[in-house]
Each structure stands twice: as C-alpha cells, then as structure tokens.
Amino acid sequence: MPATHVAAELGVSSVTVAAIAKKLGVPGPPAGHWARVAAGQPGTRKPPLPNVSHAHPKVHVLHARAP
C-alpha cells in the first residue's frame, strides 16, 4: 500500500510514515512502483525486509480521530 494511503488511514502525513519506516529500517519500493501498478503493469520486486533478530525500539503513532 502506498505510504500516502497508510498515512491517510493513520491521520498523519506521508513524511511521518516515511520517517518511521526509515527509523525502523523498513524498505520501500523504488520510484515508479505504484505508478506501474496503477497502470496495470506488474510492480517491481519487493525488497527484502531487514533481519530483526535484535530488538528495535517500538514506535507508537497516536491519533485521536474525530467521530
């Protein structure tokens, strides 16, 4: 899912999502991936996730949504 969609669901900016992903070492797809998918072409290969055998600091995103 694009970072902009994740950000909208969480009620934060896509910059915040990118910063958290970078801090945790979570890779993202290369530029143009989501445009290719939207155009009906196959996406790029998923980058491998980092080895998390060691503890990562937990990141909590708190957001109070309006009813």
Side-chain angles (χ1 to χ4, degrees):
M1 177 184 303
T4 53
H5 293 177
V6 173
E9 285 188 18
L10 296 175
V12 297
S13 72
S14 59
V15 174
T16 300
V17 171
I20 292 170
K22 182 178 179 180
K23 182 174 183 175
L24 295 175
V26 177
H33 171 81
W34 295 111
R36 289 178 59 136
V37 171
Q41 298 177 2
T44 55
R45 289 190 329 187
K46 290 182 180 178
L49 292 174
N51 182 357
V52 292
S53 60
H54 60 285
H56 276 286
K58 291 184 179 181
V59 175
H60 296 276
V61 176
L62 301 176
H63 177 68
R65 293 182 183 223

